[in-house]
Coordinates of all heavy atoms in Angstrom, one line a residue:
V1 N 51.5 44.8 26.8 CA 50.7 45.8 27.5 C 49.3 45.2 27.8 O 48.7 45.3 28.9 CB 50.6 47.1 26.8 CG1 49.6 48.1 27.5 CG2 52.0 47.8 26.7
I2 N 48.7 44.7 26.7 CA 47.3 44.1 26.9 C 47.4 42.9 27.8 O 46.4 42.7 28.7 CB 46.8 43.7 25.5 CG1 46.5 45.0 24.7 CG2 45.5 42.9 25.7 CD1 46.0 44.7 23.3
L3 N 48.4 42.1 27.8 CA 48.5 40.9 28.7 C 48.6 41.4 30.1 O 48.0 40.8 31.0 CB 49.7 40.1 28.3 CG 49.6 39.3 26.9 CD1 50.9 38.6 26.7 CD2 48.4 38.4 26.9
W4 N 49.4 42.5 30.3 CA 49.4 43.0 31.7 C 48.1 43.6 32.2 O 47.7 43.3 33.3 CB 50.5 44.1 31.8 CG 51.9 43.6 32.1 CD1 53.0 43.6 31.3 CD2 52.3 43.1 33.4 NE1 54.1 43.1 32.0 CE2 53.7 42.7 33.2 CE3 51.6 42.8 34.5 CZ2 54.4 42.2 34.3 CZ3 52.3 42.2 35.6 CH2 53.7 41.9 35.4
A5 N 47.4 44.3 31.3 CA 46.1 44.8 31.6 C 45.1 43.7 32.0 O 44.3 43.8 32.9 CB 45.6 45.7 30.4
L6 N 45.1 42.6 31.2 CA 44.2 41.5 31.5 C 44.6 40.8 32.8 O 43.7 40.4 33.6 CB 44.3 40.5 30.3 CG 43.7 40.9 29.0 CD1 44.0 39.9 27.9 CD2 42.2 41.1 29.1
A7 N 45.9 40.7 33.1 CA 46.3 40.1 34.3 C 45.8 41.0 35.5 O 45.3 40.4 36.5 CB 47.8 40.0 34.4
V8 N 46.0 42.3 35.4 CA 45.5 43.2 36.5 C 44.0 43.1 36.6 O 43.5 43.0 37.8 CB 45.9 44.6 36.2 CG1 45.3 45.6 37.1 CG2 47.5 44.8 36.2
L9 N 43.3 43.0 35.5 CA 41.8 42.9 35.6 C 41.4 41.7 36.3 O 40.5 41.7 37.1 CB 41.3 43.0 34.2 CG 39.7 42.9 34.0 CD1 39.0 44.0 34.7 CD2 39.3 42.8 32.6
V10 N 42.1 40.6 36.0 CA 41.7 39.3 36.7 C 41.9 39.4 38.2 O 41.0 39.0 38.9 CB 42.6 38.1 36.1 CG1 42.5 36.9 36.9 CG2 42.2 37.8 34.7
V11 N 43.0 39.9 38.6 CA 43.3 40.0 40.0 C 42.4 41.0 40.7 O 41.9 40.7 41.8 CB 44.8 40.4 40.2 CG1 45.1 40.7 41.7 CG2 45.7 39.3 39.7
V12 N 42.1 42.1 40.1 CA 41.2 43.1 40.7 C 39.8 42.5 40.8 O 39.1 42.6 41.9 CB 41.1 44.4 39.8 CG1 40.0 45.3 40.3 CG2 42.4 45.1 39.9
T13 N 39.4 41.7 39.8 CA 38.1 41.0 39.9 C 38.0 40.1 41.1 O 37.0 40.0 41.8 CB 37.8 40.3 38.6 OG1 37.8 41.2 37.5 CG2 36.4 39.6 38.6
A14 N 39.1 39.3 41.3 CA 39.2 38.4 42.4 C 39.1 39.1 43.7 O 38.4 38.7 44.7 CB 40.5 37.6 42.3
I15 N 39.8 40.3 43.8 CA 39.8 41.0 45.1 C 38.4 41.6 45.4 O 37.9 41.4 46.5 CB 40.8 42.2 45.0 CG1 42.3 41.6 44.9 CG2 40.7 43.1 46.2 CD1 43.3 42.7 44.7
L16 N 37.8 42.1 44.4 CA 36.4 42.7 44.6 C 35.4 41.6 45.0 O 34.6 41.8 45.9 CB 36.0 43.4 43.4 CG 36.7 44.7 43.0 CD1 36.2 45.2 41.7 CD2 36.6 45.7 44.1
T17 N 35.6 40.4 44.3 CA 34.7 39.3 44.7 C 34.9 38.9 46.1 O 34.0 38.6 46.9 CB 34.9 38.1 43.7 OG1 34.7 38.6 42.4 CG2 33.9 37.0 44.0
A18 N 36.2 38.8 46.5 CA 36.5 38.4 47.9 C 35.9 39.4 48.9 O 35.4 39.0 50.0 CB 38.0 38.2 48.1
L19 N 36.0 40.7 48.6 CA 35.5 41.7 49.5 C 34.0 41.6 49.7 O 33.5 42.0 50.7 CB 35.9 43.1 49.1 CG 37.4 43.4 49.1 CD1 37.7 44.8 48.6 CD2 38.0 43.3 50.6
L20 N 33.3 41.1 48.7 CA 31.8 41.0 48.8 C 31.4 40.0 49.8 O 30.3 40.0 50.3 CB 31.3 40.7 47.4 CG 31.2 41.8 46.4 CD1 30.8 41.3 45.0 CD2 30.2 42.9 46.8
E21 N 32.3 39.0 50.0 CA 32.0 37.9 51.0 C 30.7 37.2 50.6 O 29.8 37.0 51.4 CB 32.0 38.4 52.4 CG 33.3 39.0 52.9 CD 33.3 39.3 54.4 OE1 32.4 38.9 55.1 OE2 34.2 40.0 54.8
W22 N 30.6 36.9 49.3 CA 29.3 36.2 48.9 C 29.2 34.8 49.4 O 30.2 34.1 49.6 CB 29.3 36.2 47.3 CG 28.9 37.5 46.7 CD1 28.4 38.6 47.3 CD2 28.8 37.7 45.3 NE1 28.1 39.5 46.4 CE2 28.4 39.1 45.2 CE3 29.2 37.0 44.2 CZ2 28.2 39.7 43.9 CZ3 29.0 37.6 42.9 CH2 28.5 38.9 42.8
P23 N 28.0 34.3 49.6 CA 27.8 32.9 50.0 C 28.0 32.0 48.8 O 28.1 32.5 47.7 CB 26.3 32.9 50.5 CG 25.7 34.0 49.7 CD 26.7 35.1 49.6
A24 N 28.1 30.7 49.1 CA 28.5 29.8 48.0 C 27.4 29.8 46.9 O 27.8 29.6 45.7 CB 28.6 28.4 48.6
R25 N 26.1 30.0 47.2 CA 25.1 29.9 46.2 C 25.3 31.0 45.1 O 24.8 30.9 44.0 CB 23.7 30.0 46.8 CG 23.5 31.3 47.6 CD 22.1 31.3 48.3 NE 21.9 32.5 49.1 CZ 21.6 33.7 48.7 NH1 21.4 33.8 47.4 NH2 21.4 34.7 49.5
R26 N 25.9 32.1 45.5 CA 26.2 33.2 44.5 C 27.6 33.1 44.0 O 27.9 33.5 42.8 CB 26.0 34.6 45.2 CG 24.6 34.8 45.7 CD 24.5 36.2 46.2 NE 24.6 37.3 45.2 CZ 24.7 38.6 45.4 NH1 24.6 39.0 46.7 NH2 24.8 39.4 44.4
L27 N 28.5 32.6 44.8 CA 29.9 32.5 44.3 C 30.1 31.4 43.3 O 30.9 31.6 42.3 CB 30.8 32.2 45.6 CG 32.3 32.2 45.3 CD1 32.8 33.5 44.8 CD2 33.1 31.8 46.6
V28 N 29.5 30.3 43.4 CA 29.6 29.2 42.5 C 29.3 29.6 41.1 O 30.0 29.3 40.1 CB 28.9 27.9 43.0 CG1 28.9 26.8 41.9 CG2 29.5 27.3 44.2
P29 N 28.1 30.2 40.8 CA 27.8 30.6 39.5 C 28.8 31.6 38.9 O 29.1 31.6 37.7 CB 26.4 31.3 39.6 CG 25.8 30.7 40.8 CD 26.9 30.4 41.8
L30 N 29.3 32.5 39.8 CA 30.4 33.4 39.3 C 31.6 32.7 38.9 O 32.2 33.0 37.8 CB 30.7 34.4 40.4 CG 31.9 35.4 40.1 CD1 31.5 36.3 38.9 CD2 32.2 36.3 41.3
L31 N 32.0 31.7 39.7 CA 33.2 30.9 39.3 C 33.0 30.2 38.0 O 33.9 30.1 37.2 CB 33.5 29.9 40.4 CG 34.3 30.4 41.7 CD1 34.4 29.4 42.7 CD2 35.7 30.9 41.3
L32 N 31.8 29.6 37.8 CA 31.5 28.9 36.6 C 31.6 29.9 35.4 O 32.1 29.5 34.3 CB 30.1 28.2 36.6 CG 30.0 27.1 37.6 CD1 28.6 26.6 37.7 CD2 31.0 25.9 37.3
F33 N 31.0 31.1 35.6 CA 31.1 32.1 34.5 C 32.5 32.5 34.2 O 32.9 32.6 33.0 CB 30.3 33.3 35.0 CG 30.5 34.5 34.1 CD1 29.8 34.6 32.8 CD2 31.3 35.6 34.4 CE1 30.0 35.7 32.0 CE2 31.5 36.7 33.6 CZ 30.8 36.7 32.4
L34 N 33.4 32.6 35.3 CA 34.8 33.0 35.0 C 35.5 31.9 34.3 O 36.4 32.2 33.4 CB 35.4 33.4 36.3 CG 35.0 34.7 37.0 CD1 35.6 34.8 38.4 CD2 35.4 35.9 36.1

């Protein structure tokens, strides 16, 4: 159950980040953090 919850959280985070349409200068630090 926790593994499924973490998988959903990862995908939702990716979708929200994509919808923000951030430029590379903001996206690269986020990717490094992830």
Side-chain angles (χ1 to χ4, degrees):
V1 173
I2 293 178
L3 292 178
W4 270 114
L6 290 172
V8 170
L9 179 62
V10 166
V11 172
V12 169
T13 302
I15 293 172
L16 293 177
T17 307
L19 291 178
L20 284 172
E21 299 187 11
W22 279 356
R25 61 183 175 81
R26 297 184 66 186
L27 185 59
V28 170
L30 175 63
L31 279 174
L32 292 176
F33 171 75
L34 289 172

